[in-house]
Amino acid sequence: MARFTLPRDLYHGKDALEALKGLTGKRAMVCVGGGSMKRFGFLDKVIAYLKEAGMEVELFEGIEPDPSVDTVMRGAEEMQKFQPDWIVAIGGGSPIDAAKAMWIKYEYPEITFEDMCKVFGIPPLRKKARFCAISSTSGTATEVTAFSVITDYKKGIKYPLADFEITPDVAIVDPDLAQTMPKKLVAHTGMDAMTHAIEAYVSTCNCDFTDPLALHAIEMIQRDLIGSYNGDVEKRASMHNAQCLAGMAFSNALLGIVHSMAHKTGAAFADYGAHIIHGAANAMYLPKVIAYNAKDETAAKRYAYIADVMKLGGDTVEEKIQRLIAALRKMNDALNIPQCIRHYGADSYPCEQGFVPEEVFLARLPEIAKNAIADACTGSNPRQPNQEEMEKLLKCCYYDLDVDF
């Protein structure tokens, strides 16, 4: 038996934010990140609509990119004091992911972060509050997923929380919010969405309910991402829908080792002055993982079918996969994303020598590989890498080498 779970209600299209007026409750805690939602007036709208719905509103502001365990614990403490019956998270993946983890801790004050990380092991929620997610970025799709990613900076590791319990009750996908994204964020979140769709389609947990969502998302992202990056307003709105479809697919089909590797490399070199931004990591690693997974016959056929959907041509399965890899690398170039860690600069743009020194990467490689294998996303990957293979794959991602194993 399999399960397919999405938010009960998804409001989309222009002015979808007004759906907040219809929520019923007494108190809403609004969780938000930096200043963009306030600066563009969306936070004020959210507060006004919630008050119009008859609720008392309190803010938890300043949730950082790649939210920390400490931020989650602080937010949960504030929720304990305020006792909201609605948690409303607005912004990119970071504030929504953080608010999901806060929600767990709010409902179960004794739970530890380690317990929260047990895959599909979270106890039943909604005893105190329901959850509404409003996405401003077109990539993570956390507004419709059963996932949250939280960083333990003491360990330098990102941990994915995975459980259908944290799937939001209400998702709001309003294209006006996506127009606020800076260009670099459009690129990274867009390739994150492409990775979600491709990994969901080849996941060992794919099914008839997830495949159409993944394939249509791939078509839309291929058609619209670069135009969105270059400022096309209509394509930007389309991408906001495409990433949500990809999220619906992967929340139920799960992901693979592109995400495992991105989770475990993202904060691994923070002491050298920068993070490998999640979407950029996915974009760099995806072509390598496709080449690795394509040694599995079932996965190879699925990658070839993706190439057919993208109308890339090719006569054989192998040729179609090579064209898919080439198309994704070409998208990275068009979006100013590096092809490998060695060329990933502290500002995320391509450069001759990135911020991760070779000797540091090699010294940390065994631990990163071990952690990637243990990541929650590895179990549904078409091939199960051992320590040696994962280290070789990560080296390919550092040096931009061909994967031939």
Side-chain angles (χ1 to χ4, degrees):
M1 182 176 70
R3 178 175 174 178
F4 185 86
T5 300
L6 296 174
R8 183 184 185 279
D9 294 302
L10 190 152
Y11 298 94
H12 59 96
K14 189 169 177 58
D15 299 322
L17 205 58
E18 291 189 26
L20 292 169
K21 296 178 186 177
L23 300 187
T24 56
K26 294 179 180 178
R27 285 179 298 278
M29 173 76 83
V30 177
C31 301
V32 67
S36 64
M37 290 298 94
K38 182 181 288 186
R39 192 164 60 251
F40 291 104
F42 293 112
L43 183 58
D44 286 341
K45 281 186 176 182
V46 166
I47 294 168
Y49 291 151
L50 290 170
K51 287 184 175 178
E52 191 174 333
M55 287 192 238
E56 182 185 349
V57 180
E58 186 163 307
L59 295 180
F60 184 85
E61 298 183 81
I63 297 170
E64 73 274 34
D66 301 303
S68 66
V69 176
D70 290 342
T71 296
V72 168
M73 297 306 167
R74 281 194 299 106
E77 284 179 17
E78 293 302 311
M79 289 178 187
Q80 289 293 345
K81 293 174 189 173
F82 184 60
Q83 291 290 303
D85 47 21
W86 274 100
I87 298 166
V88 178
I90 178 172
S94 295
I96 299 174
D97 279 5
K100 286 179 175 180
M102 292 171 194
W103 184 22
I104 302 166
K105 184 72 175 174
Y106 167 51
E107 299 230 359
Y108 293 93
E110 304 306 314
I111 199 169
T112 64
F113 182 66
E114 289 71 25
D115 286 336
M116 291 161 67
C117 292
K118 292 175 182 174
V119 178
F120 294 96
I122 294 169
L125 299 179
R126 296 165 182 83
K127 298 182 186 301
K128 292 184 179 179
R130 286 176 289 168
F131 195 99
C132 173
I134 308 163
S135 178
S136 66
T137 60
S138 302
T140 68
T142 189
E143 73 274 8
V144 293
T145 75
F147 295 91
S148 163
V149 179
I150 304 298
T151 303
D152 185 332
Y153 285 93
K154 294 184 180 73
K155 296 180 180 177
I157 295 176
K158 293 184 177 183
Y159 289 95
L161 280 55
D163 199 292
F164 289 120
E165 286 296 324
I166 59 172
T167 304
D169 298 283
V170 175
I172 295 177
V173 184
D174 189 322
D176 286 349
L177 276 70
Q179 303 298 335
T180 67
M181 285 191 294
K183 199 169 184 178
K184 183 164 72 173
L185 190 59
V186 172
H188 293 161
T189 56
M191 288 307 291
D192 191 17
M194 180 64 98
T195 306
H196 290 156
I198 291 175
E199 286 209 292
Y201 189 68
V202 301
S203 160
T204 57
C205 297
N206 72 75
C207 69
D208 289 340
F209 298 93
T210 59
D211 283 353
L213 295 166
L215 291 171
H216 190 49
I218 290 166
E219 286 184 286
M220 292 175 73
I221 295 164
Q222 179 194 23
R223 184 190 69 204
D224 295 328
L225 175 53
I226 293 171
S228 171
Y229 177 73
N230 290 320
D232 187 307
V233 173
E234 289 186 8
K235 289 184 180 294
R236 181 75 58 87
S238 175
M239 273 300 302
H240 210 41
N241 289 343
Q243 63 87 32
C244 190
L245 294 173
M248 292 178 185
F250 91 78
S251 186
N252 292 279
L254 307 181
L255 292 165
I257 59 172
V258 179
H259 273 75
S260 303
M261 293 157 64
H263 291 152
K264 287 356 184 201
T265 53
F269 309 102
D271 54 332
Y272 278 79
H275 277 72
I276 302 176
I277 296 170
H278 180 72
N282 283 336
M284 293 189 295
Y285 307 163
L286 179 60
K288 307 303 183 191
V289 170
I290 289 173
Y292 173 78
N293 283 342
K295 301 294 188 292
D296 176 89
E297 185 179 352
T298 301
K301 290 177 181 177
R302 286 194 154 246
Y303 287 129
Y305 189 73
I306 289 171
D308 288 341
V309 168
M310 294 174 69
K311 297 180 171 59
L312 299 178
D315 296 322
T316 65
V317 167
E318 291 75 15
E319 187 179 351
K320 289 175 182 182
I321 292 168
Q322 287 306 311
R323 291 195 181 197
L324 173 60
I325 289 170
L328 292 168
R329 290 176 63 90
K330 186 176 179 182
M331 288 181 75
N332 287 347
D333 287 338
L335 298 166
N336 208 17
I337 296 173
Q339 300 291 356
C340 65
I341 299 170
R342 185 175 62 173
H343 295 152
Y344 183 95
D347 58 2
S348 85
Y349 293 122
C351 65
E352 191 59 36
Q353 176 56 56
F355 79 92
V356 182
E358 180 180 23
E359 64 275 12
V360 173
F361 172 79
L362 293 174
R364 298 182 185 182
L365 176 60
E367 186 68 15
I368 292 170
K370 184 181 82 171
N371 290 332
I373 291 168
D375 188 89
C377 294
T378 300
S380 46
N381 193 68
R383 286 181 74 188
Q384 291 300 301
N386 58 31
Q387 179 74 18
E388 181 186 1
E389 288 174 332
M390 182 59 83
E391 288 188 25
K392 286 171 69 175
L393 192 52
L394 283 161
K395 281 183 180 178
C396 290
C397 293
Y398 184 86
Y399 296 107
D400 194 16
L401 303 173
D402 290 338
V403 176
D404 59 0
F405 54 92

